Structures are given as C-alpha cells and as structure tokens.
Amino acid sequence: MEYYESQAIEAKWQSVWEDAGAFSVPNPVLGETPPERHFYMLEMLPYPSGELHMGHVLNYTLGDVVTHFRRRTGWTVLRPMGYDSFGLPAENAAIRERGHPREIVERNIVNIRRQMHRLGWAIDWDRELAAHEPEYYRWTQWLFLRLLEAGHAYRREAPVNWCPNDQTVLAREQVVDGRCERCGAEVEARQLEQWFFRITAYADELLADLDTIDWPERTKAIQRNWIGRSEGAEILFRLDELDLDLPVFTTRADTLFGATFFVLAPEHPLVPRLVVGTHAEEEVMRYVRRNAARSAAERIDPDEEKTGVFTGRHVTNPATGEPVPVWVSDYVLMEYGTGAIMAVPAHDERDFAFAQRFWLPVRQALAARDAEPSDGGGYVPHGSDEVLVESGDFSGLPAEQGRSAIVEWLRGLGCGAPSVSFRLRDWSFSRQRYWGCPIPVVYCAACGIVPVPDSELPVLLPEVENYRPKGEPPLASNEAWLHVPCPACGEPGRREAETMDTFVDSAWYFLRYTDPDDAEAPFERELVDYWLPVSQYIGGIDHATGHLLYSRFFVKALNELGLVGFREPFARLFHQGWVQFDGSKMSKSKGNVIGPDDLVEAYGADAVRLYILFMGPADEDMEWNENGIEGMARFVRRLWRVVNEAAASPAGDAAAESPLARKAHATIAKVTDDVGRRFQFNTPIAAIMELVNELSRAPADPAARFAAETAVSLVQPYAPHVAEELWQRLGGERLWEQPWPVADPAFLERDSYELVVQVNGKTRDRISVPADLSDEALIARAEASPRVRAHLDDHAVRRTIVVPRKLVNFVL
RNA sequence: GCCGGGGUGGCGAAACUGGUCAGACGCGCCUGACUUAAAAUCAGGUGUCCCCGCGUGGGGCAUGAGGGUUCGAAUCCCUCCCCCGGCACCA
C-alpha cells in the first residue's frame, strides 16, 4: 500500500471535479417544470481585502458539508460564490499597499479564488461575481433608481456620523461605542446633506416578520433591540401665546398628572420661534449653538450633569390645565419621538435629575397599591403593582388601565392618540470615498436631482489622480467626468460624486447569483422566485444589524415593486463562531491572522477541513490551537490505512449481522441526523472515528468492507478528496454524486439490549436481556441479579419503575 | 437597568425530547511494544477521594453556588454568582 500523499490526491480530484463540472448547477428552463427538491446554500461573500483566514475556512467548510450532504440526499443545490469588492475594507487595503484599489482587489480575488480551489469547496464557479465589476454595479445603480422612484431613497440634511480618519459619513450601524467600526477613530457629529434609504418605512414589518424566519434567537433579539419599537401615545401640549400645539411621545401617559415641566431638544425646529424677540433669546440660542458643537461622546456621557435653559414660555398640561415651563436641554434627543418630552420627575430618573438641578417641582402620580402617597418631592421608581394617585377622576386605577383611560380621554378632547415610536433610523448610504458604486443622478440648477436614464447605465467609476480620502468626494476631482448635461433639460449639470456604501452592493447579491450574466436585467423574477428565499445562510453574527437588516429591507422594497415574489431573503440562518487567536478575533490590524495555506501544505486540505469542524460546536467561538491538527492528520492516515486494507481483503458478506455491521448502520443514522436535522458538525466526525477505530480492531469481520465503504461515504462531505480516492480503491466511482447511505433499521433493532437496573435511582447492575420481554419478565430478571439482590436485602420494595428498553428501578 | 446566549476533567468537548454507574471523540500526559536511539506507528491507562483480600473488587463525591420538583436532574422550576453579546439620557 502506498503512503498517503495528500497533495497529489487532492490535486488529482480537484481536476476531476473541474473536468466533470461536478458542482455547476444549471437554472431550470423557464416554462418547464423544475426539480422540486432544490436548495439554495449561501455563505456571506468575502471582502477581498487580503487572504482567507481560518474564520473563512470554518464558514465555507460548513457550507460545503451542507452542500455535499444535500446533493447526496437528492437535492439540487445552488452554491455560488463572489466578492464584496467595493467599499472601505478593500479601499483601505489598497491604501496600505499603495496601489490602485482595482488592481489590489483583483489581485486579492485571484489569490482568494486559488485558496478556495485548493480547499476543494464545491462551488458553482460559473456564477462567480464581484461587486466592483461594471456588469454587477450597473444593476446596483438600476435598483437604486427603482428605489428612488418609489421614494425609498431620498436626500436630506441631517445630523450624521463622520469618521475623521476615513473622511466619510458612516451609517449608525457602522458606529460601535462612538467609534468607527473600521478604524476605531472617535466619530464626530456633523450636519450634512446625505442620501438615505427609508428603511424606517418597514420598521413594523421588519420586526413582525422575524417571527416567520428560522434564525438564531440571539440574532432576532439583536434586530428587535435595534429596531426598538415602543408603544405609547402622542400628547399635544398647548402653547397659547404662540397658538402652537407641541406634541410629545410618551410610553407612560398614566403619569401625565405628574408632568411638571416640558423639554425640547436643542435642535428642535420650533426653538428659535419660541424665543425670538424675548429676553431669553440670547441665552437659549447660545445654548443651542454650543450644544451643536459638542461631540456625540460628550452628549451621551451619563456622568455629566444635566444642562439646560428656560425659554420663558409655558405650555398647558392638558390633564391639569396648569401651565408648565418649557426648557431646552440636550438630554432630549431630536431623533427620537417628537424631539420634545413631558417631564415627570417623580417617576423618571432623568427628569428627576433635571428637576433637582433647576429647582423644578416634583409631583407624584403613581403609588404602590398599599402605600400611603408620600408628600411629594421624591423620586418614586416604577413598581409592579401601582395605582394612579392625585390624578383627578383617574385616581385609584391600576397603572396600565389608567394609561389607556387617559389616552382615550385625551383623544376625545382632540389632544392625544395612541402612537408608536422606533429607535431605527433611516440608512445613510452615501460615502465621500472613491472605491464604491457611483450614485447615478445628476444635479441640475433647474430640474434638481435628475436620475441618469437606465439606458445610460452603468455610470462608470471614473479614474482620478488621487483617490485618497480628503473629505470631498474624490470623484469630483475628475472634472471631465463630473460635468454633464442634465438628462432632463440638457442644460449644464453635475454628477453626484458620492459613492454608495458597500452594504448596498451586498444587500442584493444573493439575487444576482441566480442569473449572473443577465445583460438585460439584474435578475429574472421567475428565477429568483424559484431559488429564493435562501434555504440556508451562513455567516458571522457581526452583520446582525447591518447586512442582515439591509438585505431584509431591500427584499421587502423590491417585493413591493413587483421585482421579487417573496418578502424575506434568508429563510434559515446559522452563525459560525469566531475563530480567535491570542484571545481576540483574527484581524489584519491585530496581526494575529492565521491563514490556511501553510496548514494545507503540511497536512492537506482534508485534514484542515476536518479539524476546523472538529474543534468544537460550529456556532461557538473557538480559540485557534494548532496542537490538535496533528491528531486529525493521524486520523486521515489511519482511515487511509484501514480502508486500503479492507479494499485488499475479500469483499465479505455485506448483509452479515455482526457488531461491526451494527456499528456501521448506527453511524449512518447518527451522522445523517446530526448533519441533516441537528446542524451539528463536530459529533459526526467523532462518530466516524469510532467506526474507523472499531474497523481497525476487527479487520476480519465479515462486514469489514461494508464498514470501510460506510466510513468513506460518510466522511466525504468533510474530506472529499481522500474519500473520493478511497472510494475508487474500493471499486466505486463519482462518490460526490452517490446517494447518501441509509441506515437499515434491521441492524439498529437489536435482539437484546443492556437493561439498567437501579435501586433507589442508583445503577447497580446492567444485564443483557432479549428485546421483547414484558415488564413483568424484566422485573423478574432484574430481581435475579446478585448485585441487585445485595442492595435489596430484606428491604421492602415500595415501588418499581419500568422503562421498556431502558431500565428497571426498585424504590425501597 | 432591559433583552439574548452561556458556565461540564489538565485542554477542546459529548450526553439530541429528564432514564445505560456523566465525561463519547480528540488533544495532552503516563506505561508498554517496535527501534542502537528518536520520530512515526501500534497496545493499554488517565474526573476526584476513600476502603480492602490489589481485582474485568467495593464505596463516596463530582456538571458555577444554594434550594425545589421527580423513582430518577448536566437536562425542568426558583434564588443567587460569574462570563460573553446586543440596547441604553429612546421619554
């Protein structure tokens, strides 16, 4: 028997698969009845900002096992791959390496593609795409224009997050703890005109539809938190002097009688109107200006004492009819609710702190059911069983009842109504950077924002002399490109020089895979409706509030436009854990990236693939540890030796009943259940190891050959190269398309089994009994055991529990 | 503070709907075989404590802590501690 040569075997089979087009999946022919059992297996596409690391290896090997398993259990599997090649990660890599982003990105793609081939992943390479290619981004632009027409994309001035290092606007989803997700620089607040997608229009649906998809609970929880739906009421406070009604949003209308002052956010548009011409004007406007200059980090510092300024105005509390003073303070956020609040210091910590600071009155409106109402002046946190007090006719009502009663009453008076508020903000997607998809509009003095006609797409990303970030969009420096006639009136116009966030590119790529060469449309409705929603999506949980939310929004909007027939992109989602090294997740900036190349060269792709999945549960974080891979290489060599020996010996009787035959069938059942139902990938490897161990101990068993075939067949999704080679040596061919083995129940049903005999719940003996004994017979056998007898002694048995096929328990 | 996930040997982990003395499989470690030697390979051992007649012996304790339900709990319930993640001046 030859020595196991991983490099030669892997190269051999990779070229066999390529020649056979083994993993290419044609689309169904439109109009004909397509295969019913089809499966869309998708993993998040990589940024070509460097090479693959072990995190990618885990991600794509998982997808690969699922792909092979589904293919061999009778499914038609679409499993494509592409590159998220536009955007900051790729551009920053280019800056580091001092080259043009396109050249760097394309070089990285070549390298990543080589690594993917070397690992032997079963990808349909005919469907490869990259976001930076005009054939792709033409359709990103086309989809943008459809969203623009539908009013889902718009431009407005708004407070935005600005990264001073990357010199661009960031979406809220790209700011983590006040810092840029990419570079870690502290984010500044800026007031800028920007492009937004109206994702808030789908807030309710994005929340509700989480119940319709099979996603990890924690991911749903993250999205629910992010969307942040609050039910409450909008209440109008009358400002008679100026004939204004100021709305507030509150979730605690039951505390209305305790509202003793009123606060506006500094950015509230009515603030100047309230104070113009009064002697408060100067002080208030100074406060507003000073506040606008404060950084976001300063504003949200919880340790800082509250600041604020009185406007000199009063509004009327609609419940009490009393005037309450109107203040301006930055603890009220313009982006949430109405940018104004009714302050109830007795029942809100923040309002209380503000009242203390400025000597404002505190009035209690709720009290624990049995408590004496206190004489006021204190802060009373919300309890579980409280009733309204000092609240007119509503006094005595339980809080929740009082809340709806007050809202109902206000509604009758025309100054209140139930209302819902969200934390979610519209998605800011324009970037002042070079390496992104150009936004296809032209600014015209006469016509305003004019879309570039579909027929002129794509608007190609122009060459510029210096693409480095400088605050101004780099595209604007190419004057020849910038100045074009207005598509509507023909007068001189100016192109949009900002580019799109890379998350726009990835919000629809999974649709393009269905028809990547379509030159007439981004995709065919019939094809996307056939393949989508994605049957199984696999990727990092770090995209929970970004990509995964944006893609859901895109699909909902495209559904409304009639472009797709479904409302959720990813039916099932799985997150692989982080592969960490030195206690933190692998990243280039930390210099702790472990790539697969050296390992593949030393141990072969099969051992690397097996090891990354054997390390632990795939959805839990794992610390990269190279010690064990030697053990996995040992297993592959052992498999090689044992199967080669079995192949050389006489075939034996496949139907023979033997311990090894039973083990083989049990292993089939275990691996099938783990991969197919439980989505658990480490335990199947352990089960196959057990089978191989048992085979190596019983090489003369009549089922030895069957056990060898079974082990090879079951290990194929994990280690496809060595499996294919061994399969051939066993006399088979094209294992990648062989039906998945099926466990024969006759081998799983045993004639006898080990009955556990317990006394007072402690196992005292295990005896072999025939499978079909009655309860009474089982008890008799159990009682006969000498070991059990010793424990029964002369005690009286009070109760006997019999669990058929498992145990007998005597309770004394 | 609110929401979600988790805590099992020296290490990575198993135990799937409460039921085979919890710890499969692997790493590491120990012993032995082969070898001049080492590596590789193969065989055996390895939670912890105690008892003895030293055996394919007997017993106790062990799944973050404490309580409960149950004939029986890593698994279900309650209280608490710790770790990870999300949200948080969101009214």
Side-chain angles (χ1 to χ4, degrees), chain A residues 271-272 275 280-290 309:
Chain A
V271 168
V275 296
E281 180 174 13
E282 201 188 318
E283 196 193 351
V284 169
M285 293 317 290
R286 194 186 323 123
Y287 181 83
V288 169
R289 278 192 303 276
R290 202 201 62 180
V309 54

Side-chain angles (χ1 to χ4, degrees), chain A residues 161-402:
Chain A
N161 302 292
W162 178 264
C163 174
N165 183 48
D166 286 331
Q167 292 280 308
T168 183
V169 165
L170 300 175
R172 222 155 74 109
E173 292 76 14
Q174 291 162 334
V175 179
V176 178
D177 292 332
R179 292 177 176 278
C180 171
E181 176 188 49
R182 294 274 158 225
C183 69
E186 199 165 299
V187 168
E188 297 168 2
R190 284 201 182 180
Q191 191 74 17
L192 283 176
E193 204 180 275
Q194 288 294 301
W195 283 98
F196 290 88
F197 281 126
R198 209 180 295 281
I199 190 170
T200 53
Y202 290 91
D204 253 324
E205 212 186 313
L206 287 166
L207 193 66
D209 287 352
L210 285 173
D211 295 335
T212 69
I213 49 183
D214 185 6
W215 283 23
E217 191 47 49
R218 57 183 172 145
T219 314
K220 292 188 184 185
I222 289 171
Q223 289 208 348
R224 284 191 195 103
N225 279 341
W226 191 258
I227 294 167
R229 183 179 199 271
S230 292
E231 264 181 52
E234 200 163 293
I235 299 175
L236 298 179
F237 280 65
R238 179 89 189 142
L239 202 167
D240 274 322
E241 293 164 299
L242 296 176
D243 192 22
L244 283 173
D245 284 309
L246 301 181
V248 302
F249 173 77
T250 179
T251 55
R252 296 305 300 248
D254 44 331
T255 63
L256 180 57
F257 283 82
T260 53
F261 59 102
F262 189 98
V263 190
L264 290 167
E267 305 88 349
H268 198 290
L270 287 177
V271 168
R273 209 169 136 192
L274 257 61
V275 296
V276 64
T278 72
H279 47 261
E281 180 174 13
E282 201 188 318
E283 196 193 351
V284 169
M285 293 317 290
R286 194 186 323 123
Y287 181 83
V288 169
R289 278 192 303 276
R290 202 201 62 180
N291 188 72
R294 289 219 300 165
S295 78
E298 278 177 317
R299 276 190 67 164
I300 61 166
D301 183 357
D303 297 331
E304 207 150 292
E305 199 174 7
K306 294 216 176 340
T307 61
V309 54
F310 178 46
T311 61
R313 300 289 184 185
H314 290 79
V315 289
T316 306
N317 180 329
T320 61
E322 290 168 357
V324 297
V326 178
W327 286 67
V328 174
S329 173
D330 63 3
Y331 87 91
V332 174
L333 308 173
M334 191 59 220
E335 311 92 76
Y336 187 74
T338 62
I341 62 155
M342 64 178 213
V344 185
H347 304 293
D348 184 284
E349 243 176 311
R350 300 152 298 178
D351 296 346
F352 183 70
F354 194 83
Q356 291 259 289
R357 172 84 174 73
F358 296 104
W359 301 98
L360 292 160
V362 178
R363 183 189 294 161
Q364 195 171 345
L366 288 169
R369 187 181 293 277
D370 307 320
E372 290 294 308
S374 75
D375 52 358
Y379 166 63
V380 183
H382 291 297
S384 53
D385 184 22
E386 38 186 19
V387 295
L388 273 62
V389 295
E390 320 257 331
S391 296
D393 295 343
F394 302 99
S395 296
L397 285 179
E400 216 160 302
Q401 233 176 302

